[in-house]
Amino acid sequence: MLICEHPLQAIEGGKPRERESEREMEAASLATKPIVKVAALCGSLRKASMNRGLIRSAIQLCDESIEGMTIEYVDIAPLPFVNTDLEVDGTFPEPVEAFRQTIRGADAILFASPEYNYSFTGPLKNAIDWASRPPNVMADKPAAIISAGGGFGGGKSQHHLRQVGVFLDLHFINKPELFVLAFQPPPKFDRDGNLIDPEIKERLKQVLLSLKAFTLRLQNKC
């Protein structure tokens, strides 16, 4: 006499157990997929900054439509002016140490870099200088730059930041680039700096996808 715990098992040759096993394997596969953790830095300290708006939009895009990637906005405003006298017995001031720990734990860096006088901003340079103090916590990390503004759309700041990144051993994606001509029609941002242009959102998404793919390739997880 055949005893079967599941009434369909004798009829379907054990398919319920097979389906359960497949579900378990699928769940395990999802659990082991690499998650790319990105630290996002904005060179502007203004609350209504369009460049900070780009970061907010990037975070939303990851939450809604880019699987396996998360972005954390890292506030650089609390950092003191770089001064090695503040380093005591190999330790850094508390805001600097917290900042460095966040950068160290990230897989990649996303810079939102407004253009000031053909270059990137003082606050962003200050953050980079703290991150590069030995040991350099930015070294060997993939990175991408996005920017919004008038004139070149931040293009000059991106060019300068790329030059600095060479010394820092940052590895920037080459394409696509994103320079948002913020004051050209149609409107790109609202009065609070939020990105509202669907075309720019799609271009931003392509930058994020490129950064994710490049990061996984460098990590040999692709």
Side-chain angles (χ1 to χ4, degrees), residues 188-206:
K188 309 296 190 300
F189 300 88
D190 64 20
R191 62 186 300 174
D192 296 319
N194 297 306
L195 181 62
I196 58 175
D197 187 311
E199 180 185 352
I200 300 301
K201 287 185 179 181
E202 180 57 31
R203 290 173 58 193
L204 175 58
K205 181 178 178 180
Q206 295 308 311

Side-chain angles (χ1 to χ4, degrees), residues 115-160:
E115 183 176 314
Y116 289 11
N117 299 321
Y118 276 17
S119 184
F120 56 97
T121 68
L124 183 56
K125 180 62 163 60
N126 187 60
I128 290 172
D129 288 344
W130 275 123
S132 65
R133 292 294 299 155
N136 177 9
V137 295
M138 283 188 173
D140 289 328
K141 292 187 185 293
I145 314 173
I146 54 179
S147 60
F152 298 103
K156 292 284 188 178
S157 74
Q158 291 203 27
H159 177 69
H160 192 187

Side-chain angles (χ1 to χ4, degrees), residues 160-173:
H160 192 187
L161 183 52
R162 282 179 177 271
Q163 290 179 309
V164 172
V166 171
F167 185 76
L168 295 175
D169 293 324
L170 282 168
H171 308 299
F172 287 104
I173 63 170

